[in-house]
Amino acid sequence: MTNVTIPIDYNFLLDSSLALYKPKGRPHVTLTFAQSLDGKIAGKQGKQLTLSGSDSMKATHILRARHDTILVGIGTVLNDDPRLTVRLTLEDLPSGCRSVEHPQPVILDSTLRFPSNAKLLLPSSPKKPWIFTVSGHDHQKRAELEALGAKIFVLDADAQGRPSITHLLSVLHQQSAGSLMVEGGAGIISTFLKSGLVDSFLVTIAPVYVGDIGVSAMQDTESALKLDDISYHSLGRDVMIVAKPRRE
Ligand SMILES: NC(=O)C1=CN([C@@H]2O[C@H](COP(=O)(O)OP(=O)(O)OC[C@H]3O[C@@H](n4cnc5c(N)ncnc54)[C@H](OP(=O)(O)O)[C@@H]3O)[C@@H](O)[C@H]2O)C=CC1
Ligand SMILES: Nc1nc(O)c(N)c(N[C@@H]2O[C@H](COP(=O)(O)O)[C@@H](O)[C@H]2O)n1
């Protein structure tokens, strides 16, 4: 008997992740990350793990191509040194996509810990990062990052003294960003879920156990997450759950 591979239809990403619903005065916020069966997004002491298989990783890159901006916290920059680019060709994208454009990287970083030698600041990086901080940051470090191409935005501080999410979204709106893809890490996922400002939620679940030594996707166990409009998509060995957080 010959094995027949059924190609994966990625069109669900166009329907659900960026639905026509465009909130007033802020970008559409998509929260997406990959976790193990036991809810871990990284290994011991934050060790970066490749949890997504090639098919679900492709979904992540399609999502990147569909968003104007992509956000990670400074913890992820320091730990993973990500590129946050789209590594697909036009032929890889679902038919609704007309070009391969990299999203604008956005980083939340209260004290400008952003490393000057990060991949996002290399001359080969297609879009230099927008770094969102609060007042009181180191002005010399700011000048150093700006000289390397970063753009620094100063936001109002939240109750913890970190950049305010509502202010961030309003500045992104002023910068004409219609959509924001939030990739993580753990601190950022928790902040966005608590903010009630997530419009679409897509989680890749990989069939592996990491164990208690790993980093949990959701750090604040007191805030339960309830989802509506749920769909499940088989992406090779992984499952992607697509849903909308319930607004109570
Ligand atoms: N599997 C996956 O899909 C992904 C996994 N990861 C993993 O996540 C881990 C990193 O997670 P973590 O260390 O929590 O880092 P985060 O990337 O979540 O960054 C957290 C830091 O961001 C800063 N920050 C600024 N503003 C805010 C805000 N409003 N809310 C929350 N944080 C804010 C804080 O630092 P400061 O106070 O200095 O500003 C905080 O410590 C890594 O191990 C990485 O590999 C990351 C992304 C995706
Ligand atoms: N979708 C997904 N699956 C995984 O298994 C992951 N570890 C991640 N991590 C995220 O991707 C970033 C790395 O991006 P680049 O490949 O450098 O562009 C990493 O920092 C996490 O945000 N995502």
Side-chain angles (χ1 to χ4, degrees):
M1 202 164 70
T2 46
N3 279 337
V4 180
T5 311
I6 300 169
I8 294 171
D9 180 358
Y10 287 95
N11 275 298
F12 71 92
L13 294 169
L14 309 193
D15 303 336
S16 50
S17 73
L18 281 183
L20 294 178
Y21 166 57
K22 291 256 190 286
K24 217 173 161 203
R26 66 169 179 84
H28 182 108
V29 177
T30 301
L31 176 62
T32 183
F33 55 88
Q35 68 165 54
S36 62
L37 286 176
D38 53 342
K40 308 294 180 192
I41 60 165
K44 190 177 179 182
Q45 290 168 340
K47 182 182 176 335
Q48 186 178 15
L49 297 178
T50 302
L51 292 162
S52 302
S54 57
D55 296 312
S56 57
M57 196 60 98
K58 180 172 173 182
T60 295
H61 282 255
I62 293 170
L63 284 170
R64 287 182 177 185
R66 294 285 294 159
H67 285 77
D68 298 331
T69 54
I70 181 166
L71 183 147
V72 294
I74 186 61
T76 296
V77 173
L78 291 167
N79 194 75
D80 298 358
D81 194 13
R83 287 181 282 174
L84 306 178
T85 50
V86 179
R87 275 128 36 216
L88 293 175
T89 63
L90 191 54
E91 292 70 47
D92 295 321
L93 297 176
S95 47
C97 302
R98 297 232 170 83
S99 65
V100 180
E101 195 168 338
H102 303 289
Q104 169 62 52
V106 167
I107 316 298
L108 291 182
D109 179 8
S110 313
T111 56
L112 295 188
R113 290 190 281 152
F114 198 100
S116 303
N117 62 352
K119 286 192 187 125
L120 284 166
L121 287 172
L122 289 176
S124 56
S125 173
K127 288 189 176 161
K128 299 295 179 288
W130 291 356
I131 303 173
F132 288 79
T133 189
V134 291
S135 60
H137 55 268
D138 177 343
H139 284 257
Q140 199 176 326
K141 180 68 183 289
R142 176 183 181 150
E144 195 184 309
L145 294 170
E146 284 175 332
L148 291 165
K151 197 165 170 183
I152 313 289
F153 295 83
V154 181
L155 295 180
D156 297 338
D158 67 12
Q160 285 78 42
R162 300 175 309 198
S164 144
I165 299 301
T166 15
H167 194 193
L168 165 80
L169 296 181
S170 125
V171 172
L172 291 178
H173 179 70
Q174 285 160 18
Q175 297 291 324
S176 305
S179 53
L180 172 68
M181 173 169 167
V182 178
E183 277 205 1
I188 293 295
I189 293 168
S190 305
T191 292
F192 269 87
L193 283 174
K194 276 188 263 173
S195 76
L197 293 165
V198 175
D199 302 301
S200 304
F201 179 79
L202 297 93
V203 58
T204 295
I205 302 184
V208 290
Y209 273 95
V210 172
D212 290 346
I213 44 142
V215 176
S216 294
M218 291 172 210
Q219 306 263 304
D220 180 358
T221 46
E222 279 177 35
S223 52
L225 171 64
K226 291 189 181 133
L227 299 170
D228 289 319
D229 300 341
I230 306 164
S231 59
Y232 302 87
H233 306 269
S234 260
L235 298 175
R237 53 167 217 173
D238 303 330
V239 170
M240 185 177 261
I241 297 182
V242 181
K244 298 205 175 303
R246 187 174 302 163
R247 294 178 201 283
E248 312 253 86

